[in-house]
Amino acid sequence: MSNELPLVCICVPTYNAAVTVRETLESILTQTYPNLVVHVSDNASTDETLIVVESIPDARIHVHRQSENIGAEGNFTKCIQLATGKYTAIFHADDVYDPVIVAKQVAFLEAAPDVGAVFTGARTIDENGVLLGSIGRAPGGSGSVVRYSFRELLQTMLLHHNFLICPSAMVRTELYQEQIKEWGSSLFNSASDVDTWLRLANLHPIAVLNEPLMRYRISRAQYSHLNRNRTERADFFLVMDDYLARPEVIELLSENDFRNFHRLERHDSVARAINLTTLGKFSEAKTLLKNAQCWDTVVAAINNKRGFVTFAAYILFKFILILELSNLSTSIAKKIKQIQWK
């Protein structure tokens, strides 16, 4: 029966993932969908990642070793090059996948030949696997499946930021290998996935299954944690800057789309100001807060939750920093950082 089903290639890029990679691979190997091949592309790990991988006795696993570290984007590109079969998913080495994720994604893509890629929602877990919450539900639509054209995806990202769960994506292999070819760009750093999804959507619609079909790990060693503590502008904006400078993209967007983008930027500035405050860098925090000094900040506060949080945090920190209550500022900043900013 398995030979009659489309072959699905699961690529797992690894780097020093010895602690989590066994659980990840076991969640892949126990999928209800039977016709799988797994390619592990190791990026010159210095821990026991390869020992763990090679200790798993399953002929479906194929290990590929990089002689030197080629960077995250390079390793993802290597996964695209290794892909075989009709569909390819690049699953992350620290996440856990529900047993039916592959079956449900294949069933959807088989029934929707016009769609190029399908994503899912996720439950978040901590370093110990304890459930924290959920992410990845598709905004701007209702029902069990939401589809996006390129224009709809970009507009939704300008309003809600990047909501697609990177390690949930399943893509038609031919699109990866013949059209995408390389993962993102060195111009976009950690946001290369955003560029990849937009390029895919420019070829074919993408879709999101509104189910949490994986567990997405948030740990102190993970980029998502570091991103939460950053003081530099989010890499997401590098992608948006690039696309919003293209004449053919500008024609697709309205003034409201650009307004939404500027609101995201102000939100990012206030979040960074809070991080700077926790570090005692009050002068830099004050400079960033100036970006929120406009009437639209008030308007956005009336329109949605993110706008309200941005405005409230701006007013609070503006007041505290004016009074130069440094110790109190640091304490309050640490408390506010516990808020889910997205």
Side-chain angles (χ1 to χ4, degrees):
M1 181 184 296
S2 64
N3 290 332
E4 297 175 359
L5 297 172
L7 176 63
V8 174
C9 178
I10 308 294
C11 292
V12 183
T14 59
Y15 176 70
N16 289 355
V19 175
T20 59
V21 70
R22 178 181 296 276
E23 186 177 16
T24 296
L25 289 176
E26 288 176 349
S27 74
I28 294 170
L29 297 171
T30 55
Q31 289 292 308
T32 60
Y33 190 86
N35 199 12
L36 293 176
V37 62
V38 182
H39 290 282
V40 176
S41 179
D42 186 72
N43 207 5
S45 289
T46 57
D47 68 356
E48 297 184 344
T49 295
L50 286 175
I51 295 176
V52 173
V53 172
E54 292 171 345
S55 71
I56 300 174
D58 196 303
R60 290 173 293 178
I61 299 178
H62 303 268
V63 181
H64 309 266
R65 304 169 180 82
Q66 311 304 325
S67 59
E68 59 182 24
N69 193 297
I70 57 176
E73 289 76 19
N75 204 22
F76 273 64
T77 296
K78 184 67 176 178
C79 286
I80 292 174
Q81 294 168 349
L82 291 169
T84 57
K86 189 172 184 179
Y87 303 115
T88 296
I90 302 178
F91 285 171
H92 291 187
D94 58 351
D95 296 323
V96 184
Y97 295 86
D98 285 12
V100 296
I101 183 173
V102 173
K104 288 194 173 186
Q105 288 183 306
V106 170
F108 175 80
L109 288 171
E110 286 288 284
D114 61 312
V115 174
V118 62
F119 300 75
T120 77
R123 294 183 178 89
T124 54
I125 57 175
D126 67 10
E127 294 165 310
N128 301 312
V130 176
L131 288 173
L132 300 174
S134 61
I135 55 175
R137 186 168 181 83
S142 60
S144 60
V145 180
V146 180
R147 299 188 185 205
Y148 298 94
S149 65
F150 171 79
R151 179 181 183 180
E152 290 166 339
L153 179 61
L154 182 58
Q155 288 176 319
T156 305
M157 285 185 169
L158 291 173
L159 179 60
H160 295 282
H161 208 279
N162 178 30
F163 59 92
L164 297 172
I165 308 301
C166 177
S168 77
M170 180 177 286
V171 180
R172 296 184 188 275
T173 303
E174 63 179 0
L175 290 181
Y176 257 154
Q177 294 192 329
E178 296 176 12
Q179 301 292 330
I180 300 303
K181 297 182 180 180
E182 295 185 357
W183 185 263
S185 164
S186 59
L187 298 174
F188 304 134
N189 301 326
S190 66
S192 288
D193 61 317
V194 178
D195 171 59
T196 300
W197 310 145
L198 287 169
R199 284 191 286 149
L200 277 168
N202 200 34
L203 299 168
H204 293 277
I206 66 163
V208 179
L209 304 183
N210 268 330
E211 292 184 74
L213 295 177
M214 62 168 290
R215 281 170 280 167
Y216 181 83
R217 195 181 304 274
I218 298 176
S219 69
R220 293 184 180 276
Q222 187 187 54
Y223 180 78
S224 58
H225 174 80
L226 300 175
N227 185 53
R228 188 173 176 81
N229 294 282
R230 64 182 167 75
T231 57
E232 300 299 322
R233 191 169 180 250
D235 291 340
F236 167 82
F237 294 105
L238 296 176
V239 182
M240 295 299 107
D241 288 344
D242 183 89
Y243 278 81
L244 296 182
R246 302 178 187 182
E248 67 274 18
V249 172
I250 294 174
E251 292 179 358
L252 299 175
L253 302 176
S254 66
E255 290 184 10
N256 193 53
D257 293 321
F258 285 94
R259 186 180 301 111
N260 290 334
F261 174 63
H262 294 314
R263 288 175 178 177
L264 281 182
E265 287 189 304
R266 290 197 297 272
H267 182 84
D268 183 72
S269 293
V270 173
R272 290 159 56 203
I274 292 173
N275 291 339
L276 286 166
T277 302
T278 65
L279 299 174
K281 298 182 178 181
F282 305 113
S283 177
E284 294 176 48
K286 288 179 181 179
T287 299
L288 276 179
L289 286 178
K290 291 180 181 179
N291 294 337
Q293 292 180 186
C294 66
W295 176 247
D296 189 58
T297 301
V298 180
V299 175
I302 300 172
N303 289 343
N304 56 58
K305 178 181 177 181
R306 177 186 280 113
F308 176 79
V309 172
T310 303
F311 179 69
Y314 162 71
I315 293 297
L316 176 61
F317 276 85
K318 185 73 173 177
F319 175 73
I320 290 173
L321 291 173
I322 287 175
L323 296 179
E324 296 185 351
L325 302 174
S326 58
N327 292 333
L328 179 60
S329 300
T330 301
S331 298
I332 293 177
K334 290 179 179 179
K335 291 291 183 181
I336 289 184
K337 281 181 64 176
Q338 298 175 12
I339 297 172
Q340 292 297 321
W341 278 85
K342 285 189 180 181

